[in-house]
Amino acid sequence: MADGGAATLPRMDAPGGASLKRFARRRSTIAFLMTLPLIAVIGGLVVWPAGYAIHLATLNRRMTSFIGLGNFEILLESETFRMVIFQSVFFAITAVILKAAIGFWLAHMLHHIPANGQRKWRGMLLVPWVIPPALSTLGWWWMFEPTYSSINWILNIFAIPSVPWLGEPWWARISVIIVNVWYGAPFFMIMYLAALKSVPEQLYEAAAIDGATSWQRLRYVTLPMMRNIISITVLFSLIVTFANYDIVRVLTNGGPRDLTHVFASYAFQVGILAGNIPRGAAVSLFMFPILAIIAFFVLRGVNRRNKEEA
Amino acid sequence: MSKHGITRRKVLRNGAGVMAATAVGAPMVHAQGTSGSLRFAFWDHWVPGGNDALKELAQRFGEQNRINMTVDFINTTGNQLQLTIAAQAQSRSGHDGISLLPWDPGTYADQLEPCDDVMQRLSAKYGPVNPVAEFLAKRGGHWRGVPATAGTQAKPACVRFDLMKQHAGIDVREMWPAANRAGPGADRWTWDTFLTAAEACHKAGVPFGLPMGQFTDAVDWVGAVFLGYGARVTDERGNPTIRNNAELRQAIDYLVRLSRFLPNDVWAWDDASNNRALISGRSALIFNPPSAWAVAKRDAPQVAENCWTIPMPAGPKGRFLAYLPYVTGIWSFGRNKTAAKAFLEFITQRENAELCVNKSQGYDIPPFLSMSDFKAWETEGPPVGTIFNYPLKAHHQATYSIAFSPAPPELAQQMYLQALNTKVVARIAQGGESVESALGWLEREINNMRRGG
């Protein structure tokens, strides 16, 4: 379009001015100019803060001298931080698996409901994902709260003893995962539902003619057709779950005995509350290279499959 | 649009109304022929009406000195104040002065204007400053701010005197009357007596509400127990003093025994859990400033009428009272530092400090020891005299303290904010670790914190 428009413009006499105009009319120049606001936003809000965080992580506590990877070395020698690594990995993997499984199951259930009723159910099931997590977690905290837990109140009615939801380490870990799954499963549901709707009906018809059971239809038709969307949602959720902060902060503040801390909540405690910003930055960056490698392989797989299908 | 009665003009007019209403929250005082402007951020008080004193003082100061004063109140819920401080320090812009949390003067020392001149004049007038406030607010021999009255708190015992008398046989009002003298039995108010009372109240179903988690209320009272037993985890230079430390083992052993008589979920309690335990009538004692009592006065008057504040018990090495001061700092990048210093000096004057104490219903404690005789502590009630013993008095024979002092502040801050003292107890009492194993963990954590200078 830009080239076509250029043909109607008057010819410039000055050669310098003409080449400048030509340069300005080139598609690549216009594309660059149009993406410049986005590049500026990404540069200012993503690249610069990330670079600054990396820079901070290489400084000493007073931020006066460069200590290279010293903060990472110190962290790895700390028992508490090694426990945080375990908890973050346990939390993220368990929560993502549960979210994916529940989301997949819900998507299947919804897919088989007629369109009218489906809309209502879809809307209701999306509610947890729509509410700001800090608010909904506060609601969960009221249900788990050590002294006045409403869940315990209900359990007591049925003569079941109270559960120390936030006071006992494993219960506290489970509580944090429950809230994360409750919040995140609708995202998987909606993504998988969209993917299910895009699977051609003919494939199922062909499978039925071949005498495939429902498990075989799921295993050899549905899952392969959804592989890309499953990969991307799992990757996206893994990154977001690893970076989760608000649920742990509101529910347990990392307690008891640091046994529910994840990277973000521990980074905040070390960096902001305890005044060691470089070490806090190192905590928050710890998973970055690992997640970047996982992202690289997952996205490469997605691209390869896309090319094969094209 | 106009069909529904909504016009662009109406929207603009209502919007202006909303803006005006918002501005009321952040009072700004204009004076004719101004000598500049000042913008301060103070901690948003827990006690209803607790901010009124600073609003009033800012207005008066602005009018007297022809300065445009803006005062913002930022709360610590969700660590908003801590985040604001960190953001302003990083960006080197923001308010002229800001309320700093106890360990912040050290963290941000390089970016805070020394206030030695102000403190020199105030000390000459009012005598010695609280030693804990001095420990926290001074770095490199310079005052990095002015210890504040508003928000500064101590954490003595707030006792349900009726329950304590009924179940433990201790009359705390007789022991610690609302007078400048100790009553009969005050000398027996020790951690051992406390343990016996805790057991009795636990049996009666009104256990002491003592948090053992990672929030400041927990760290503070456990810190006072440690000091009462002479238990220190490091020396003044930050070297761990954990091995062969009999006092430390004694304090930990005591706390493990005491924890058996506390509610089983105290390991997850936050700073509000103990308040709730008292206000709900489920607990006979908590360690807290009078905010819990002030809220009970509003929400559960029958509880408030039976509360009495008394000093913390004494240990073999003395009686210590947990103290948590706010410090108001002036940013070195602020634009009107002279006026900011004058304002801090103004609000710390005795009559102005008293106004803060009155408006906060006795919650605030001024930084000067000579200011522990304000009328509010005698007259507040019900019952009248309930918070007489809230600030430390000579007859308490006690010392203000903060957990982990006298370690170097940079290290003490990390130990405090990562709650090493409650965690070491929790590892044994809740986690089932041996004392040796828990102490080994404590030593390794401290050594790790000392690294990376």
Side-chain angles (χ1 to χ4, degrees):
Chain A
M1 276 175 77
D3 290 349
T8 61
L9 288 170
R11 195 161 54 87
M12 292 294 292
D13 291 328
S19 65
L20 192 69
K21 280 219 161 186
R22 266 202 305 278
F23 174 74
R25 281 182 206 137
R26 274 163 58 183
R27 281 185 179 201
S28 57
T29 310
I30 291 168
F32 175 73
L33 289 174
M34 291 182 82
T35 52
L36 204 56
L38 182 65
I39 291 169
V41 168
I42 291 173
L45 298 180
V46 180
V47 179
W48 186 81
Y52 189 58
I54 293 168
H55 164 68
L56 282 176
T58 60
L59 300 179
N60 68 342
R61 184 173 189 271
R62 291 166 203 269
M63 297 195 271
T64 51
S65 62
F66 176 79
I67 59 166
L69 297 176
N71 280 316
F72 294 95
E73 191 191 322
I74 293 167
L75 281 171
L76 282 171
E77 285 172 21
S78 155
E79 283 169 57
T80 306
F81 184 68
R82 288 201 297 267
M83 203 165 64
V84 170
I85 297 175
F86 165 74
Q87 275 142 211
S88 299
V89 171
F90 177 77
F91 167 70
I93 290 176
T94 315
V96 169
I97 290 171
L98 288 172
K99 280 187 278 191
I102 293 170
F104 191 78
W105 177 70
L106 286 173
H108 257 274
M109 294 289 119
L110 279 181
H111 190 52
H112 293 103
I113 294 175
N116 238 354
Q118 199 185 98
R119 231 173 281 142
K120 282 182 228 156
W121 282 103
R122 211 164 48 200
M124 280 191 285
L125 287 167
L126 271 177
V127 166
W129 194 54
V130 175
I131 303 171
L135 277 183
S136 53
T137 310
L138 203 60
W140 277 99
W141 180 78
W142 280 327
M143 292 195 278
F144 290 141
E145 199 274 334
T147 315
Y148 308 106
S149 162
S150 56
I151 300 177
N152 280 346
W153 181 75
I154 293 168
L155 291 177
N156 294 162
I157 290 174
F158 298 103
I160 301 168
S162 296
V163 174
W165 294 105
L166 306 177
E168 203 276 323
W170 274 105
W171 277 117
R173 283 172 177 154
I174 290 168
S175 304
V176 168
I177 290 169
I178 288 173
V179 178
N180 188 270
V181 170
W182 176 83
Y183 173 70
F187 166 73
F188 279 83
M189 179 200 76
I190 207 75
M191 296 299 283
Y192 291 165
L193 188 62
L196 278 174
K197 284 182 188 298
S198 66
V199 178
E201 200 56 41
Q202 296 91 317
L203 293 179
Y204 290 112
E205 284 165 11
I209 292 165
D210 290 344
T213 61
S214 54
W215 163 249
Q216 284 168 327
R217 282 205 297 273
L218 178 75
R219 170 75 182 80
Y220 297 107
V221 178
T222 311
L223 285 177
M225 293 303 289
M226 288 176 69
R227 211 154 57 166
N228 277 356
I229 200 82
I230 289 173
S231 301
I232 288 169
T233 44
V234 166
L235 172 70
F236 178 77
S237 181
L238 199 65
I239 293 168
V240 171
T241 312
F242 261 115
N244 190 278
Y245 168 76
D246 34 22
I247 294 175
V248 170
R249 183 77 192 151
V250 174
L251 274 191
T252 64
N253 194 36
R257 306 188 334 257
D258 290 331
L259 288 165
T260 57
H261 262 309
V262 290
F263 287 121
S265 61
Y266 190 64
F268 184 75
Q269 184 174 314
V270 173
I272 302 291
L273 298 182
N276 196 339
I277 289 179
R279 207 170 295 175
V283 172
S284 64
L285 286 171
F286 194 81
M287 281 305 286
F288 176 67
I290 299 161
L291 287 174
I293 291 167
I294 295 172
F296 172 77
F297 283 109
V298 169
L299 293 175
R300 197 177 67 165
V302 169
N303 277 339
R304 196 175 286 167
R305 280 193 293 276
N306 278 343
K307 275 180 194 161
E308 283 166 7
E309 284 165 19
Chain B
M1 290 286 272
S2 58
K3 196 167 63 178
H4 305 291
I6 303 167
T7 63
R8 191 168 52 87
R9 276 175 195 280
K10 273 188 184 173
V11 170
L12 287 172
R13 198 164 53 218
N14 292 341
V18 170
M19 292 295 286
T22 312
V24 173
M28 187 161 177
V29 183
H30 291 278
Q32 282 186 331
T34 58
S35 333
S37 61
L38 266 185
R39 218 178 138 211
F40 267 79
F42 289 110
W43 171 68
D44 192 6
H45 218 295
W46 302 133
V47 176
N51 294 336
D52 293 349
L54 286 172
K55 284 182 194 168
E56 194 181 317
L57 292 171
Q59 180 151 8
R60 244 193 281 154
F61 181 81
E63 284 165 1
Q64 284 169 10
N65 298 282
R66 297 182 174 184
I67 290 174
N68 289 331
M69 292 293 299
T70 307
V71 184
D72 298 317
F73 293 95
I74 303 173
N75 67 41
T76 40
T77 310
N79 303 113
Q80 283 182 56
L81 181 58
Q82 291 93 320
L83 286 166
T84 307
I85 295 165
Q88 294 194 358
Q90 285 288 310
S91 63
R92 296 184 64 78
S93 66
H95 293 89
D96 292 282
I98 193 162
S99 284
L100 300 169
L101 286 104
W103 299 98
D104 289 342
T107 307
Y108 303 105
D110 298 343
Q111 287 165 282
L112 293 167
E113 185 71 8
C115 293
D116 298 333
D117 46 346
V118 177
M119 288 309 293
Q120 211 171 2
R121 286 193 292 275
L122 287 169
S123 297
K125 208 167 171 184
Y126 301 120
V129 184
N130 186 305
V132 176
E134 189 166 352
F135 168 74
L136 293 166
K138 253 184 167 175
R139 277 297 180 286
H142 296 290
W143 287 93
R144 301 292 168 176
V146 176
T149 301
T152 293
Q153 53 181 281
K155 296 186 180 174
C158 181
V159 187
R160 278 286 302 273
F161 59 80
D162 54 337
L163 299 176
M164 196 71 152
K165 193 167 184 181
Q166 186 187 346
H167 303 300
I170 297 172
D171 188 343
V172 294
R173 287 195 298 175
E174 194 181 77
M175 199 185 263
W176 299 104
N180 283 315
R181 63 174 175 80
D187 54 332
R188 291 195 301 277
W189 182 235
T190 62
W191 287 113
D192 288 336
T193 310
F194 186 85
L195 185 65
T196 314
E199 186 175 3
C201 289
H202 180 254
K203 271 185 195 152
V206 281
F208 291 178
L210 309 180
M212 289 294 288
Q214 289 157 248
F215 288 84
T216 59
D217 280 0
V219 177
D220 286 333
W221 83 263
V222 170
V225 175
F226 268 49
L227 290 169
Y229 279 87
R232 289 176 177 179
V233 293
T234 70
D235 60 20
E236 285 84 350
R237 285 187 295 176
N239 301 310
T241 54
I242 291 163
R243 290 181 196 177
N244 307 317
N245 186 335
E247 286 95 353
L248 181 60
R249 281 169 180 267
Q250 207 184 346
I252 289 174
D253 173 62
Y254 174 83
L255 286 160
V256 170
R257 280 188 288 140
L258 177 61
S259 67
R260 292 187 198 123
F261 307 125
L262 303 179
N264 63 3
D265 49 11
V266 288
W267 315 103
W269 278 22
D270 60 19
D271 283 344
S273 303
N274 48 352
N275 297 32
R276 282 196 294 273
L278 181 90
I279 295 163
S280 64
R282 292 184 177 199
S283 181
L285 181 147
I286 63 169
F287 289 122
N288 213 65
S291 47
W293 163 79
V295 175
K297 218 162 54 155
R298 186 190 65 196
D299 297 345
Q302 73 287 359
V303 169
E305 285 161 11
N306 287 298
C307 287
W308 197 257
T309 294
I310 66 170
M312 280 185 152
K317 296 290 161 66
R319 189 190 310 283
F320 292 86
L321 176 61
Y323 177 82
L324 215 55
Y326 272 87
V327 174
T328 316
I330 297 167
W331 291 122
S332 56
F333 47 80
R335 280 164 299 181
N336 205 349
K337 289 183 263 193
T338 313
K341 281 186 179 182
F343 178 57
L344 291 188
E345 192 167 348
F346 171 75
I347 60 174
T348 317
Q349 299 300 316
R350 186 182 164 92
E351 62 277 15
N352 296 337
E354 187 162 11
L355 183 70
C356 291
V357 174
N358 292 344
K359 295 277 185 190
S360 66
Q361 301 179 40
Y363 178 102
D364 297 338
I365 294 191
F368 291 95
L369 297 171
S370 62
M371 295 184 189
S372 61
D373 58 350
F374 293 152
K375 275 280 169 210
W377 293 309
E378 286 176 37
T379 54
E380 276 289 345
V384 174
T386 183
I387 55 169
F388 180 87
N389 289 298
Y390 169 55
L392 197 146
K393 305 270 167 79
H395 70 277
H396 294 167
Q397 296 180 325
T399 310
Y400 278 123
S401 69
I402 187 156
F404 299 109
S405 65
E410 295 79 15
L411 177 63
Q413 174 185 18
Q414 295 188 69
M415 295 191 289
Y416 181 99
L417 290 162
Q418 300 213 33
L420 292 193
N421 57 358
T422 60
K423 278 186 208 161
V424 73
V425 177
R427 288 177 93 92
I428 301 163
Q430 196 200 24
E433 280 184 37
S434 67
V435 177
E436 278 71 27
S437 158
L439 289 179
W441 166 83
L442 180 62
E443 187 169 5
R444 289 191 295 279
E445 282 294 301
I446 292 172
N447 280 329
N448 206 279
M449 283 174 179
R450 295 172 72 203
R451 296 172 63 195

